[in-house]
Amino acid sequence: MNKKILTMTAMAVLVGGSASYAQTVSDDFQSDEVAFVDESSAAPSRMDSGVRKFVEKQKANTQKRKVTLKSDVLGRRGGAQKGALNYEINAADVEKMKVVISDVKADDAPLPTVSGRYEFDPEKNQKKFWLNGSKVSEANYLAQAEKREKKYSESKKFNSPRVAYLTANEIEKELSSSETKYISEYKEPKPALTYGVQDYRDYTYILQKSEITSQAHNNGVKGQGVGVYYNEGGCPPLNYVNTAYYTRIGSCPGYATHVIGVTRILQTTAPQAMIYGIDGVNYPQNVRSYAQPILIGSQSWGFVTDETGYTAGDADMDNFIYSNRVVEFVAAGNGGRNSLIGAPGRALNAISVGAISPVDDKYVSYSSSKNARTKIDKPEVANYTSFRFPGDPSYTAGSNDTYRGTFNGTSAATPFMAGMTANLLSQHQFLWWHPEVVKAVLIAGSKPVQNPEYDIDGSSTFLAGIPHYSSFSWSDAYRWRFWQGENKSNFNSNNEIVLTEYGLEKGKRYRVAIAWLTSGQYALNNQQAAQDIDLSVWQNGSLLAKSESRNNPFELVEFTAKNWEGVTIKIKRVANRASSEKVLLGYAFVKAN
């Protein structure tokens, strides 16, 4: 994210080789308990620190301000000579602050109970689909999915944040109008085109290193049919853009340099995905209505904030994902190892992206790694940065703001991750509208970094790895699943989902990951996910691996098959803290070697 703290127009409080990826010792004090409901947690302040200071200052402000008008509202003039009218007003009544208003109510539509399963044989280029436990044709599966998603999209609702100038009284009035409204200080963008060590490599080298060239592009997979949107403080000059695959949503507020780098990475990584550019604190509406539906978001920005926890801006992001089922990648930030992951990268449903050097597969020194008060293990993934685009002309947008054909920071790693995933969704339509499955796939299909000690985790030994395309698209043994429905669906009377995986090879390593979604409303009020779900793997009655992190909305295990027999996967919901929360659970099974 190139320190661009595109504090993006806003969400502004936002609060802004080793194989030790998952712990096998429980740190979940409820791991043996039955699922429970607890909806009594007290809500935090609904003003961020900046807004609160403004309101308190204005309420104590007794200064008067003189106002001179030529006439009053009825057109009357004052004085003997019918001159100007002089008034004295309270300064606090006219002093305004630019703010972001978030209504974090999770106003989601009802979900039918549905489960899906998908397997892919790369040798035969064969795709297999199951729906609600029954094997179906690809055409039947996709038709049912389209019908289901169309019905859902017509009934769901997402409350998009909005920007306004408000007085202290107007802020309090807004908050009194709804208990689910939060108000944050608007932050201006602070772009910085480069950051840290300049280990640049040509983009073609990075595409080859990530196996995107060999495993995706050379097989005709280039993001076809997939829409990716980004929020930026400006738009790219069109000579940097393949306009056949670029659509502006809203007017262009002016050219900028940071957005050039984001666009160039997206369009070279997924050259036939449609890129949608948005300015400000806006989220796209009706994401399924676009010619190439918006399935992915790429956010190379974050916020400077004094907050240490999950904020209203994170809740906006989580509700957008929860309601629209869009995969969201957010830059972790460029503050260094001991700095907090920025907001809205703290969103539980989002995938935060750290930065890795393409030279040595190590975290770069500026990549943020410290987790917020929610103690979620962030970032979930890390990917390559320091891109060079030979032949690109330079472009200057302002003082100390020039693009010279290079782009780095977590701002670069994030669109690269989004472009890689656009290829993945283009190749496997099973993943459409399932960000929970995509997160599980990317976590399970990541390779280790070379300086694992760099990452600072919140509550376990999970370590963000580097997704490589072959790991989650061409592996000779991987399977993906999802379960969705209302709160009481899918889990059995023991609060478990139990399944068996066959076709394992003795002595080979395998990785299994699960991930699930939570509403922003619950997460903001309670600073944690609404559900806690554990994962374990068994073979012949013996435990091979388990992951029972207390705070993560995902789990990951890695194990070696002891024999050729199948393994039993147990997914247990150990905490169910809000009866209104949906079941939106994804699963990925990958052969690691």
Side-chain angles (χ1 to χ4, degrees):
M1 143 171 116
N2 270 325
K3 211 142 191 175
K4 168 185 179 195
I5 304 190
L6 197 171
T7 334
M8 168 182 139
T9 67
M11 298 180 192
V13 218
L14 302 151
V15 214
S18 155
S20 59
Y21 281 72
Q23 72 174 28
T24 57
V25 179
S26 172
D27 65 355
D28 191 333
F29 66 98
Q30 295 162 341
S31 58
D32 295 322
E33 295 183 9
V34 183
F36 67 90
V37 175
D38 178 7
E39 302 182 45
S40 60
S41 299
S45 170
R46 292 192 288 129
M47 291 184 282
D48 80 337
S49 57
V51 174
R52 188 165 55 252
K53 290 177 183 177
F54 171 78
V55 170
E56 290 173 353
K57 179 181 178 181
Q58 295 309 313
K59 291 179 73 173
N61 185 1
T62 59
Q63 292 181 336
K64 301 293 183 179
R65 179 178 295 184
K66 291 183 179 180
V67 178
T68 300
L69 301 175
K70 292 183 179 179
S71 62
D72 64 14
V73 293
L74 298 177
R76 296 174 297 189
R77 301 175 70 84
Q81 290 79 34
K82 302 297 183 183
L85 296 168
N86 294 316
Y87 293 92
E88 193 174 67
I89 62 174
N90 296 323
D93 291 337
V94 294
E95 290 288 343
K96 294 191 175 185
M97 182 182 202
K98 192 173 184 180
V99 298
V100 182
I101 305 167
S102 301
D103 187 345
V104 301
K105 182 180 180 182
D107 194 8
D108 203 14
L111 282 178
T113 301
V114 180
S115 64
R117 174 183 164 195
Y118 175 76
E119 295 183 6
F120 176 62
D121 184 341
E123 297 297 326
K124 300 177 182 178
N125 194 26
Q126 185 180 63
K127 300 177 179 180
K128 299 178 182 179
F129 295 82
W130 287 259
L131 187 61
N132 296 327
S134 299
K135 191 172 184 180
V136 296
S137 67
E138 179 176 7
N140 182 283
Y141 177 87
L142 295 179
Q144 291 296 320
E146 175 66 23
K147 181 179 179 181
R148 186 171 62 249
E149 293 303 326
K150 184 176 185 297
K151 181 178 180 180
Y152 168 77
S153 66
E154 292 172 347
S155 56
K156 61 89 181 170
K157 179 183 178 182
F158 167 68
N159 300 311
S160 186
R162 57 190 174 90
V163 177
Y165 287 91
L166 300 180
T167 65
N169 286 335
E170 289 169 338
I171 289 171
E172 291 185 325
K173 185 177 180 180
E174 280 280 358
L175 292 176
S176 67
S177 68
S178 170
E179 293 184 355
T180 58
K181 280 188 179 179
Y182 290 74
I183 299 183
S184 312
E185 182 180 1
Y186 178 94
K187 303 283 189 176
E188 292 293 342
K190 297 181 180 178
L193 195 58
T194 59
Y195 198 88
V197 179
Q198 309 299 305
D199 284 333
Y200 291 110
R201 291 295 183 271
D202 285 4
Y203 75 93
T204 54
Y205 170 85
I206 298 176
L207 289 174
Q208 291 167 358
K209 187 177 179 71
S210 294
E211 302 167 330
I212 292 174
T213 300
S214 61
Q215 303 295 339
H217 292 180
N218 289 352
N219 288 290
V221 178
K222 299 181 178 180
Q224 300 95 321
V226 175
V228 182
Y229 88 96
Y230 61 67
N231 295 89
E232 284 286 334
C235 51
L238 294 182
N239 61 307
Y240 293 96
V241 177
N242 180 352
T243 55
Y245 294 99
Y246 175 81
T247 300
R248 186 73 198 169
I249 300 178
S251 60
C252 174
Y255 294 141
T257 55
H258 188 271
V259 68
I260 296 174
V262 170
T263 306
R264 292 289 283 130
I265 291 175
L266 283 170
Q267 291 204 311
T268 52
T269 307
Q272 293 182 23
M274 181 60 72
I275 309 303
Y276 298 96
I278 309 176
D279 180 63
V281 63
N282 300 305
Y283 283 92
Q285 300 297 313
N286 302 315
V287 293
R288 293 167 178 78
S289 66
Y290 292 86
Q292 289 188 204
I294 294 177
L295 301 170
I296 298 170
S298 178
Q299 314 302 341
S300 289
W301 50 270
F303 297 97
V304 174
T305 176
D306 295 330
E307 309 292 337
T308 61
Y310 179 99
T311 69
D314 298 300
D316 285 331
M317 174 68 74
D318 272 339
N319 276 341
F320 179 73
I321 300 169
Y322 190 74
S323 296
N324 290 279
R325 313 293 192 259
V326 171
V327 183
E328 287 278 4
F329 296 100
V330 186
N334 299 324
R337 181 174 185 260
N338 292 299
S339 66
L340 288 172
I341 298 294
R346 302 174 192 181
L348 279 68
N349 301 335
I351 301 173
S352 300
V353 185
I356 297 292
S357 168
V359 177
D360 55 14
D361 281 9
K362 292 182 178 181
Y363 277 101
V364 293
S365 62
Y366 56 76
S367 185
S368 297
S369 181
K370 187 177 180 181
N371 300 291
R373 186 158 51 90
T374 48
K375 297 182 180 179
I376 306 165
D377 286 323
K378 292 277 187 175
E380 289 86 353
V381 298
N383 220 321
Y384 296 123
T385 187
S386 299
F387 286 75
R388 180 169 56 218
F389 297 94
D392 273 16
S394 63
Y395 177 81
T396 298
S399 178
N400 298 317
D401 189 14
T402 298
Y403 172 78
R404 294 185 174 89
T406 57
F407 193 59
N408 73 349
T410 54
S411 278
T414 300
F416 184 57
M417 192 68 256
M420 178 185 288
T421 305
N423 293 326
L424 180 63
L425 267 63
S426 180
Q427 184 178 358
H428 301 290
Q429 198 167 342
F430 175 83
L431 297 173
W432 286 30
W433 317 121
H434 288 292
E436 73 284 5
V437 183
V438 172
K439 181 185 284 189
V441 167
L442 296 180
I443 290 174
S446 291
K447 296 182 179 180
V449 299
Q450 295 303 305
N451 56 340
E453 72 283 354
Y454 182 92
D455 192 26
I456 300 175
D457 292 316
S459 59
S460 74
T461 56
F462 173 81
L463 174 69
I466 313 168
H468 280 60
Y469 204 83
S470 63
S471 299
F472 51 76
S473 186
W474 295 98
S475 169
D476 62 357
Y478 72 88
R479 307 94 191 252
W480 304 335
R481 299 174 186 245
F482 74 83
W483 298 267
Q484 72 176 41
E486 294 300 300
N487 184 263
K488 300 298 182 181
S489 66
N490 290 286
F491 290 91
N492 64 23
S493 59
N494 293 322
N495 301 299
E496 291 182 331
I497 296 172
V498 181
L499 58 105
T500 303
E501 294 287 6
Y502 295 100
L504 280 67
E505 296 181 51
K506 181 181 178 180
K508 295 294 185 180
R509 288 188 304 117
Y510 296 86
R511 291 161 63 84
V512 184
I514 58 173
W516 57 97
L517 304 187
T518 195
S519 74
Q521 181 178 359
Y522 182 89
L524 183 59
N525 286 342
N526 299 277
Q527 297 290 300
Q528 64 180 337
Q531 301 175 72
D532 184 12
I533 305 175
D534 290 343
L535 174 65
S536 59
V537 181
W538 304 74
Q539 192 171 43
N540 292 330
S542 298
L543 178 66
L544 296 183
K546 66 179 178 179
S547 181
E548 299 176 334
S549 63
R550 184 183 304 171
N551 301 298
N552 291 336
F554 62 85
E555 302 287 354
L556 169 67
V557 299
E558 184 173 302
F559 67 93
T560 300
K562 292 183 176 181
N563 53 52
W564 299 83
E565 299 180 14
V567 295
T568 299
I569 311 293
K570 293 184 179 180
I571 302 169
K572 184 176 181 64
R573 183 164 64 178
V574 297
N576 182 26
R577 304 179 179 105
S579 59
S580 60
E581 291 285 306
K582 315 295 184 185
V583 173
L584 291 161
L585 173 65
Y587 166 95
F589 179 93
V590 177
K591 183 179 178 182
N593 67 354

